[in-house]
Amino acid sequence: MIFTDPSSSATARFLPFTRFSNGVVSLRRFVGALHFGSLTTTFPRTLFVHFSPRSSRFITAAMATVPSAKVIDGKSVAKQIREEISAEVSKMKEAIGVVPGLAVILVGDRKDSATYVRNKKKACESVGINSFEVHLPEDASEQEVLKFIADFNEDPSVHGILVQLPLPYHMNEQNILNAVTIEKDVDGFHPLNIGRLAMRGREPLFVPCTPKGCIELLHRYGVDIKGKRAVVIGRSNIVGMPAALLLQREDATVSIVHSRTKKPEEITRQADIIISAVGQPNMVRGSWIKPGAVIIDVGINPVEDATSPRGYRLVGDVCYEEACKIAAALTPVPGGVGPMTIAMLLSNTLSSAKRAYNFK
């Protein structure tokens, strides 16, 4: 709210202030801090002051908040995690001569899937994890895929198996994912892992990588989850549903917003923490967001951009330009959740190898 003296003859009496032609004077300064758990965000504000022509003792002021949400830098956190994993891999190799191994099965020629697999291979190399890759043609049979999975299940040098999704339409995704032994299910999609995640008092061997990365970002930025209201937008088996289960394990009060939810903006506006994973560009507007909320934006959506050399740019599910004026902290797109997904895959692979050899 802005309080002003409309008189144009108001006179500023403090030298550090700058006068504008309308009689308003301003001083740029940092005031106050917003606390969310141990997350602290400093708000830069401009103080506008009018002086009454009748008395220099009374002033009226306006605090104008400029965009100041803290950026949750997934790229930086993922780099730190990879360094930690690299040290653990070296320690394990020196102690017992074992190097963790990750096998990836790619079916078809989708460019995005090939890029993901290539990035995963590079990430493995960067931390010292062995990578094994199988690339099958689009018309490969389901039995061929199952044969490679069975071989990797029995291979002691492979500690994690990842089937790159989506699979071609003629394959039964559920049958293929279920064929990965639970001890090597580093994607965390096996029904027994998801079932354990959903049950109190049970621990899954692995947690799906993207939701795990979301929670890790909240932890590393000191966001207190316990007792907070959290909203997950989207209910996919890969992100939305396991993200909601993880938040519940952290003692948040969780609501799920999906395509059939009535008035989703009203539910989302109550959230202290928002995780959005729906694949709809800029769907979550500023009016959906509670002031001071923390936002994890999983969406990666291409939108046309004539100014970009590629003809498009990537945006999230959340309108960043509006959200950064209201939220306490949020992830950028790109550079937020994406790098964390691969870091969590490496973490799960390392954990699998340690478990196989009872290495602490």
Side-chain angles (χ1 to χ4, degrees):
M1 185 176 293
I2 298 177
F3 301 91
T4 60
D5 179 346
S7 170
S8 61
S9 61
T11 304
R13 302 187 184 276
F14 289 92
L15 292 177
F17 288 78
T18 301
R19 177 194 294 275
F20 293 94
S21 59
N22 62 356
V24 177
V25 291
S26 73
L27 172 64
R28 179 87 170 157
R29 61 184 297 201
F30 284 90
V31 295
L34 185 144
H35 297 273
F36 192 101
S38 57
L39 178 70
T40 302
T41 301
T42 303
F43 280 75
R45 295 182 178 179
T46 302
L47 178 65
F48 295 103
V49 181
H50 282 280
F51 289 89
S52 166
R54 289 171 295 221
S55 171
S56 63
R57 292 178 299 153
F58 298 97
I59 65 172
T60 53
M63 290 294 186
T65 303
V66 298
S68 56
K70 188 176 186 68
V71 175
I72 298 176
D73 187 351
K75 196 171 182 180
S76 173
V77 173
K79 181 176 181 290
Q80 181 183 349
I81 291 171
R82 288 198 305 273
E83 290 170 354
E84 295 166 3
I85 292 170
S86 180
E88 286 294 306
V89 169
S90 297
K91 179 182 172 184
M92 188 174 183
K93 183 178 180 180
E94 291 171 7
I96 60 174
V98 172
V99 177
L102 173 66
V104 179
I105 298 174
L106 173 64
V107 184
D109 298 308
R110 284 179 59 118
K111 289 184 178 180
D112 56 348
S113 291
T115 299
Y116 294 147
V117 170
R118 186 165 57 250
N119 289 342
K120 288 164 185 173
K121 185 175 182 179
K122 286 171 60 178
C124 283
E125 291 171 356
S126 73
V127 299
I129 290 177
N130 290 332
S131 63
F132 308 88
E133 182 183 337
V134 172
H135 188 179
L136 297 172
E138 182 82 18
D139 59 356
S141 70
E142 187 173 314
Q143 287 304 314
E144 287 179 86
V145 178
L146 291 172
K147 175 65 168 60
F148 277 107
I149 291 174
D151 289 345
F152 285 136
N153 280 342
E154 298 299 322
D155 188 341
S157 66
V158 173
H159 306 98
I161 302 170
L162 183 149
V163 179
Q164 183 64 45
L165 302 177
L167 290 165
Y169 290 113
H170 66 277
M171 293 187 180
N172 186 314
E173 182 179 292
Q174 184 174 322
N175 286 346
I176 289 173
L177 294 180
N178 289 356
V180 176
T181 181
I182 189 173
E183 289 81 10
K184 298 185 181 184
D185 173 40
V186 288
D187 248 347
F189 295 154
H190 194 287
L192 289 179
N193 272 322
I194 293 296
R196 290 177 179 181
L197 181 63
M199 298 177 69
R200 296 185 65 183
R202 302 289 182 89
E203 292 298 325
L205 296 182
F206 305 101
V207 172
C209 300
T210 299
K212 183 179 180 181
C214 294
I215 302 301
E216 188 68 20
L217 283 175
L218 294 175
H219 286 166
R220 298 224 176 196
Y221 272 81
V223 179
D224 185 18
I225 303 174
K226 186 175 182 178
K228 296 294 189 291
R229 298 202 67 166
V231 167
V232 177
I233 306 176
R235 53 178 173 177
S236 72
N237 289 336
I238 296 173
V239 182
M241 186 269 293
L245 292 173
L246 285 170
L247 287 165
Q248 193 165 279
R249 278 181 166 250
E250 299 273 343
D251 295 323
T253 300
V254 184
S255 299
I256 298 176
V257 168
H258 50 78
S259 59
R260 300 292 184 268
T261 301
K262 306 294 184 183
K263 298 181 179 179
E265 66 279 5
E266 292 184 6
I267 297 171
T268 306
R269 203 157 41 232
Q270 299 174 31
D272 302 305
I273 299 168
I274 299 170
I275 296 179
S276 183
V278 287
Q280 296 294 325
N282 297 322
M283 185 186 83
V284 179
R285 313 300 301 195
S287 60
W288 291 39
I289 300 166
K290 174 183 177 180
V294 174
I295 303 172
I296 305 294
D297 190 351
V298 182
I300 303 179
N301 312 293
V303 295
E304 290 184 9
D305 185 353
T307 65
S308 170
R310 297 178 296 182
Y312 70 92
R313 60 189 170 90
L314 297 176
V315 301
D317 295 341
V318 179
C319 181
Y320 189 91
E321 292 76 12
E322 295 179 10
C324 69
K325 300 174 185 177
I326 301 165
L330 75 165
T331 55
V333 176
V337 175
M340 292 296 294
T341 298
I342 293 180
M344 294 299 99
L345 176 64
L346 301 177
S347 174
N348 281 352
T349 303
L350 173 61
S351 296
S352 179
K354 284 184 170 183
R355 188 182 296 116
Y357 291 91
N358 198 27
F359 182 77
K360 304 298 183 183

